[in-house]
Amino acid sequence: MNLFPDLTVGIAFDLSENLPIYREWAYDFENNCFLTRNGKYYLVEKKEALKIWIYKAMKTARYRYPAYPREYGQEFDEIVGMSSSRAIRESEAERLIQEALLVNPYITDVGDFEFEHQGSILHIRFTVETVYGEIETGTEFNYG
């Protein structure tokens, strides 16, 4: 018997029902620019839109640009110059990625991290669980 009542019994939340459809301007990742159709920018929705948000959040340093809210972006600068072991560096990168992405209410989990070191560049692959399904993605940064 618990001292505190279990208030979660019978309560189920479906975030996708309470959130509007997520939209973002179509983006060309290879050329690092917005896409156009008939000379005009256009929107994509749901999972495709979240891929763009994730990509941009991983490329934007948090607190550096006043145009973005304080909770937007990543803090990889914390790892730059870190002289600790690979395991600690990878653990910190995992934490920073989770903190950066879980501020988005459409993202429910970030996990399955895989790391590859090439000199001082850390390549990271991970899975993002969203209200629209799973996204396999990654990022990289120079910690040297």
Side-chain angles (χ1 to χ4, degrees):
M1 181 168 169
N2 288 332
L3 291 175
F4 301 102
D6 184 0
L7 301 175
T8 61
V9 175
I11 299 174
F13 294 99
D14 184 2
L15 291 176
S16 62
E17 288 182 12
N18 297 327
L19 294 171
I21 293 174
Y22 191 77
R23 293 181 172 95
E24 186 65 71
W25 295 106
Y27 199 77
D28 180 350
F29 298 106
E30 287 183 24
N31 296 310
N32 201 26
C33 63
F34 292 104
L35 291 172
T36 59
R37 187 182 294 146
N38 298 324
K40 295 184 179 184
Y41 299 119
Y42 62 97
L43 293 168
V44 293
E45 297 180 342
K46 299 182 179 181
K47 194 189 265 191
E48 206 55 41
L50 281 171
K51 287 179 186 177
I52 296 165
W53 188 92
I54 292 165
Y55 174 81
K56 289 180 181 179
M58 291 292 93
K59 297 295 183 192
T60 305
R62 187 177 281 181
Y63 311 123
R64 190 171 299 164
Y65 306 101
Y68 294 110
R70 294 187 56 76
E71 57 275 346
Y72 183 80
Q74 46 72 16
E75 297 177 71
F76 291 144
D77 288 350
E78 288 186 15
I79 300 174
V80 173
M82 188 181 263
S83 61
S84 56
S85 71
R86 278 187 172 193
I88 292 172
R89 197 176 302 118
E90 290 173 1
S91 176
E92 276 299 290
E94 186 174 324
R95 179 184 68 81
L96 293 171
I97 290 169
Q98 288 172 334
E99 286 179 3
L101 299 182
L102 289 172
V103 299
N104 186 317
Y106 294 84
I107 295 174
T108 58
D109 193 26
V110 181
D112 297 330
F113 287 88
E114 295 177 14
F115 301 93
E116 181 184 334
H117 296 262
Q118 289 182 324
S120 63
I121 296 179
L122 181 57
H123 300 274
I124 309 165
R125 301 285 311 153
F126 51 93
T127 303
V128 179
E129 297 289 336
T130 77
V131 297
Y132 302 120
E134 189 176 280
I135 297 171
E136 303 262 339
T137 189
T139 192
E140 64 182 37
F141 69 96
N142 188 336
Y143 61 84

